[in-house]
Amino acid sequence: MFIDTHCHLSYEYYDDIDNIICENKKALVDKIVISGCDRKGIEESLDTYKKYDGVYVSIGYHPDEALNVGDNDIEELKFLLQNNDVVAIGEIGLDYYYTKENRDKQIWLFEKQLEIAEKLSMPVVIHSRDAVEDTITTLKKYKVNGVIHCFSGSLEVAKIYVKMGFKLGIGGVVTFKNSNLGEVVKNIGVENIVLETDSPYLAPVPYRGSVNSSKNIPIIAEKIADLCNISLEEVAKITSDNAYKVFNL
Ligand code: NI
């Protein structure tokens, strides 16, 4: 019924992955897309997705990895993308939250992966934090589509991404009291949204601050149903259809 389009299902955060998958199914979250975004994460997530039904994988180098990734890694990534059943490249993008000093290297890494996405006609999962302008400018150079992961910008920015053909990944933040994301969701409509947890991070209220997992997707969906004044079933159906389409599940 529900699809968690973005989570980090790793032994780094969870002791018992079998149990997590079992809990997800009980919560009617029957499909998840796990994201591997550094060398270790990529390797581990490529192992994990093969073991379970309904588990898909997205791989790509996170902007935090900008100073650790070279041409060889990009070549290897391309090889892995072509030799595994990967549904998207990501999360990739730009993050100036901690520093902008490595901006050039971040853009280099982002562009290298966008080139691959364009060449292989694969969707991208975009991480963008404090870097809206550069993200949009860079994306516009390539013929790609996909998801703006953990979208947290203004309605104006949301509309730009939607116009470019992207879906917005909406997660636990929409349940936070101090977030303006509710207004964005109301205005942009569920037809432009996919659900995600970004677990283990960003657990929704009332679990804010604890270890998140995909089983919390219905809490996020419930909030969106409230905001858009539609049923939970409609949210499940529309967001899952969106995910099927974007990722070719
Ligand atoms: Ni993530």
Side-chain angles (χ1 to χ4, degrees):
M1 184 165 161
F2 295 104
I3 302 179
D4 181 357
T5 61
H6 189 107
C7 61
H8 302 277
L9 186 64
S10 161
Y11 285 105
E12 198 180 334
Y13 313 113
Y14 307 101
D15 295 330
D16 188 348
I17 287 185
D18 284 350
N19 184 48
I20 295 282
I21 302 266
C22 188
E23 286 180 345
N24 293 348
K25 300 229 156 142
K26 273 189 219 154
L28 304 181
V29 182
D30 40 30
K31 293 189 170 58
I32 64 173
V33 181
I34 58 177
S35 171
C37 43
D38 57 18
R39 247 178 240 123
K40 200 170 143 251
I42 289 171
E43 208 177 290
E44 189 184 0
S45 50
L46 286 175
D47 269 351
T48 304
Y49 95 94
K50 287 174 187 144
K51 282 192 206 143
Y52 300 98
D53 256 7
V55 175
Y56 301 86
V57 67
S58 161
I59 59 172
Y61 285 103
H62 191 285
D64 285 355
E65 295 299 305
L67 297 178
N68 304 324
V69 176
D71 287 311
N72 288 346
D73 302 293
I74 296 294
E75 279 313 306
E76 198 198 347
L77 176 67
K78 206 194 273 177
F79 175 84
L80 292 173
L81 286 163
Q82 287 170 303
N83 290 280
N84 289 278
D85 205 0
V86 176
V87 298
I89 303 182
E91 54 194 285
I92 62 174
L94 302 170
D95 193 328
Y96 301 156
Y97 181 75
Y98 295 108
T99 179
K100 216 179 162 174
E101 265 169 46
N102 60 357
R103 174 176 178 264
D104 289 351
K105 191 72 202 290
Q106 285 197 36
I107 292 181
W108 172 84
L109 177 60
F110 190 24
E111 292 195 331
K112 278 281 171 197
Q113 296 179 98
L114 288 170
E115 257 170 49
I116 299 175
E118 189 178 71
K119 207 177 217 164
L120 302 179
S121 301
M122 288 185 77
V124 287
V125 176
I126 303 300
H127 172 105
S128 175
R129 196 176 182 198
D130 292 348
V132 180
E133 263 176 55
D134 278 356
T135 304
I136 292 174
T137 314
T138 309
L139 279 174
K140 281 194 166 159
K141 294 196 215 164
Y142 299 87
K143 253 172 64 192
V144 289
N145 66 23
V147 172
I148 308 299
H149 153 57
C150 198
F151 179 80
S152 60
S154 64
L155 178 59
E156 191 193 348
V157 172
K159 284 181 176 164
I160 294 172
Y161 283 131
V162 166
K163 210 169 163 201
M164 289 165 72
F166 284 89
K167 300 291 180 215
L168 307 183
I170 302 292
V173 176
V174 76
T175 68
F176 296 177
K177 253 203 183 114
N178 54 353
S179 152
N180 71 331
L181 197 54
E183 276 310 302
V184 173
V185 165
K186 242 191 239 178
N187 280 283
I188 216 78
V190 71
E191 59 277 10
N192 293 305
I193 285 173
V194 293
L195 303 177
E196 61 168 49
T197 56
D198 202 19
S199 50
Y201 314 107
L202 298 173
V205 173
Y207 304 112
R208 190 171 179 181
S210 63
V211 177
N212 197 7
S213 81
S214 302
K215 73 174 177 201
N216 289 329
I217 278 283
I219 299 173
I220 296 159
E222 190 86 58
K223 178 75 186 182
I224 294 172
D226 256 13
L227 288 164
C228 298
N229 210 8
I230 56 176
S231 69
L232 185 63
E233 287 71 24
E234 280 174 289
V235 173
K237 171 151 193 355
I238 297 166
T239 57
S240 292
D241 281 352
N242 287 343
Y244 277 113
K245 253 182 247 160
V246 176
F247 297 118
N248 278 311
L249 301 183

